[in-house]
Each structure stands twice: as C-alpha cells, then as structure tokens.
Amino acid sequence: AGAGGGSAAGRPGSAARGDPSRARAADIFAALHPEGAAAADVWADRLREWFAHRVLQPLAYVLETSHEDVSATLEALGETDFPRPRPLLAARDGYRPGDGASAGFGARGADGAGALEQDAMVLEQMRVRLEAALAHARAQLAAAPAPGGGGVFGGGGGLFGGGGFGASPQQQQQQQEQRAEKERRFVALAAASDAIVTHCRLIALLRAELPRGLLPVTPPGYVAHRVAELAEGSCVAEYAHDGGGDWGAERWSGDLPNDAQLVCYLFCAFLETPGWVFAREGAATPEGSRGGAGSAGGGGGGALYFARPPPPHVERFSAVLSTRPPSALKESACAVVMPRSAAPAFAVYCGAAGDDAPRVFDGPNGVWRALAALALHARERNGGVLGATRMAAANVALDSVFMPGRLL
C-alpha cells in the first residue's frame, strides 16, 4: 500500500500535462487542512489499512457466518424443518453480462437458477411470519404482570398490582416463571428476525443494491468471492485498481467491476451500515441517508447521497454519485463520481476547493485519495459526520485515518 502508487493526478507537486483537473488534484487537501498537501499520501495509505480492518475483514466474517446464524436462531425456536440458506461465500450465483440478456441468474458458474434470489424470497416469507409472532409476543408481555413492580403495592399492574397483590408466594413464583418464558421467547424471535434480515441484506449488498445505482449488474457470487480475497492481510494486498479476481474458470474482464469501483461501492455500503450490523427496522434507503445527521445527534453534518444527486435546495451534503453534480457545489458539499469505464478515474467535486472544476484521482492510489478527500471534507467542514454516520464512532473510527499514531 505504498504512497508511490498514485498517479500524477494524486501526487502533490506533479501535474498531468494538458489536464488542468489533474494538475489541481492536490488542491482539495490543501484547501481543507493546513497539512493537507503534504499528508495526503499518508492519509490515503491509512485509509487503505482502515478499509481492510473495518470494512473488508468484518464483512468477510459475516458473509461466512450469516447462514449459520439463521439456522441456529431458528433452531433455538424449536424449528427443524425449514429450508436452510446457502453459505454466501460459497455462492456461485450470478452471470456475466456478456452471456446475453436471456441468461439471467443460474447461467455459467451458478449453482441452480437464482439460488441466492430464491433464498432471499423464502427468507422474506419467514421474516414476515416472525414479525407477526414478535408482535403477538410483545402484546403478551405487555399484558403479563411484572412481578415486583407496577402497582401501588408492588404488584404487576393495575391499581393494586394486577395480580401480584395478595398472591401467595407460589403464585408469584409461577407468574415470574411465566413472564420469564415469554421474555425468552420474545428475545429468541427477535434474534431470528435479525439473523434473517442480515442475511437478506447481505444478498442485496452482493447484488450491488445496497446502495443501488453505483455498480452495474454484477454477479453476487463474484462480489462475495472478491471480498474474501481482498480481506486477506492488513492492507488489501490483492487490490488491483484496474482489474479484479478470477470468476469461476475465467480471468477477470471488463464485464465485472474493477477493484477500485468495488472498494468505492463497499465504502458507501459501510457508511450506511457501520459494523455491518443490520437493524430489523429502519433500513437504509437505496440512494443514501436523506436526513441530515445533525438531527440524529447534533454536530451540523449534512445528508449523504448515493448515485443520484440531492435536490437543488440541499447545500450541505456528502455524496458518491454515478454522474457529475448538476451545478456548482457550496463549500459545505463534496461529491465523488464513480467511474463507469474500465479505467478507474475518480472525479471529486468540492466547493471548498474554490471553483467548480473536478479534481481527478486515478492510478493505483486513485480511489483511496478520492475517498480520503470525501472523508476529510466531512471532518473539516461537516462536523465529522457522513450522513447518519459519525466518523469518530467506535464501530467506524474513520476519524483515526487523519490521526497518525491512533489505532485504526
């Protein structure tokens, strides 16, 4: 992960002849931080290490174990006869765009027709039933007396304790055991629902739908396989900015995303789901976190947008877009544009740079520098907040990238 991997677009003091946007690439760092131009390479390298430690390795782990979590939590409910989901890291579900439009899931290199798609549909049906059971269990808990609390005389509810007042010690013990059983049932149902939601959203992640619109249609099996390869080591050693990994018996081709595009997509997915902990409720929107993070806990951060730009009236935001912003950005806005071609050149639009010209980062270090610029802008201009994600949060630690000596 050497700093010398960046192109002329990314190194301070060197310019790509004839391309002013590349010549000014380092301006963003200098405009955002007094030591920005000198420290940009260090920050890019630390971002690469942070990405391995915080994004890839935990993702590879949850991809390896999520199917086991689904089975274990359902078995804890006493279920034995249910379709068990396939391991995501073993998935070969997918297709190559070059195979033709009629190929669809289950084409070359796939185990069955749309195996992961089938899993997702079955699991969604199970999730709906679990949510109904959860609602019923919640209602039962609300109606059950809470031993030792609630009533005037220490019963479980009502004016005189709802069944606790006047009850014999044996009756109170029975009530406590009944309530404890209901609580255990509720916790087990919630755990099963969480496991199913996590597995389904991981499938959506592998299908380039979380967030949607940044990557073209991509075989989910390839994404899973490449994540596992890139997760090896401490600095994404297998990373190839203009290439990728083998898929089945074939070498990587431009039909698949290159590693730079995949890194950018996974960075966005992580911002929506820090620590890869998927909540049962409040799913991330496909385009990004619409509500400013300032409302979630102060700090003045702006909203985070993916693929599509924000409405014209939104001036404070961070974004990773599929096309260039439609208008000049204010100082409180910064956007990275995901390259659509096989040559990964990342254009960064940042109002703090003083004009509306893009700064282009390409070469082996291009994506790391582009994302470092986005994160640095959020840190220096938007209170250290990217959408609803705080860079200094314990399960994110993105702020540590800019603090040499701080653990990532």
Side-chain angles (χ1 to χ4, degrees), residues 100-300:
S102 62
F105 285 103
R108 183 169 69 240
D111 294 332
L116 294 184
E117 184 77 3
Q118 292 174 3
D119 281 357
M121 289 189 295
V122 171
L123 289 172
E124 175 59 19
Q125 294 170 358
M126 297 172 68
R127 185 197 66 79
V128 171
R129 294 196 296 270
L130 280 171
E131 290 296 330
L134 263 174
H136 179 68
R138 187 181 291 111
Q140 283 190 320
L141 273 176
V152 173
F153 295 96
L159 181 62
F160 296 101
F165 178 71
S168 67
Q170 292 81 3
Q171 289 173 323
Q172 292 182 14
Q173 177 67 23
Q174 185 179 27
Q175 290 172 359
Q176 291 173 356
E177 292 174 353
Q178 290 173 347
R179 182 173 180 85
E181 178 59 32
K182 289 182 172 68
E183 289 173 346
R184 284 192 293 269
R185 176 73 175 175
F186 181 84
V187 170
L189 287 166
S193 181
D194 281 342
I196 287 175
V197 166
T198 294
H199 196 80
C200 288
R201 292 193 186 157
L202 286 171
I203 291 174
L205 173 74
L206 297 178
R207 294 176 62 193
E209 295 176 353
L210 203 67
R212 184 180 293 111
L214 290 177
L215 288 182
V217 176
T218 303
Y222 172 77
V223 177
H225 178 69
R226 192 57 180 160
V227 164
E229 291 181 331
L230 293 174
E232 295 292 331
S234 60
C235 61
V236 202
E238 294 297 316
Y239 170 79
H241 75 285
D242 56 355
D246 296 342
W247 174 225
E250 299 183 29
R251 304 288 292 175
W252 180 90
S253 75
D255 291 335
L256 298 167
N258 57 51
D259 285 349
Q261 292 169 317
L262 186 59
V263 162
C264 189
Y265 166 74
L266 293 174
F267 179 82
C268 297
F270 181 82
L271 292 180
E272 287 287 64
T273 315
W276 304 117
V277 178
F278 297 86
R280 215 169 48 251
E281 300 171 356
T285 61
E287 295 81 16
S289 173
R290 287 303 192 212
S295 62

Side-chain angles (χ1 to χ4, degrees), residues 267-268 270-274 284-285 287-306 314 316-320 332-334 374-375 377-379 381-393 396 398:
F267 179 82
C268 297
F270 181 82
L271 292 180
E272 287 287 64
T273 315
T285 61
E287 295 81 16
S289 173
R290 287 303 192 212
S295 62
L304 180 63
Y305 290 85
F306 297 136
V314 178
R316 182 183 294 274
F317 66 88
S318 302
V320 177
S332 56
C334 185
L374 184 74
H377 178 272
R379 182 176 187 260
R381 294 293 189 272
N382 287 339
V385 176
L386 284 157
T389 299
R390 297 197 165 277
M391 293 172 59
V396 178
L398 184 54

Side-chain angles (χ1 to χ4, degrees), residues 269-371:
F270 181 82
L271 292 180
E272 287 287 64
T273 315
W276 304 117
V277 178
F278 297 86
R280 215 169 48 251
E281 300 171 356
T285 61
E287 295 81 16
S289 173
R290 287 303 192 212
S295 62
L304 180 63
Y305 290 85
F306 297 136
R308 295 198 290 263
H313 69 274
V314 178
E315 297 183 351
R316 182 183 294 274
F317 66 88
S318 302
V320 177
L321 306 176
S322 57
T323 59
R324 63 172 293 166
S327 59
L329 304 185
K330 301 293 185 181
E331 185 172 345
S332 56
C334 185
V336 174
V337 178
M338 170 79 87
R340 308 300 288 182
S341 65
F346 291 81
V348 180
Y349 295 81
C350 184
D355 57 48
D356 59 355
R359 273 60 174 176
V360 177
F361 298 96
D362 62 3
N365 221 21
V367 67
W368 308 113
R369 295 194 58 138
L371 295 178

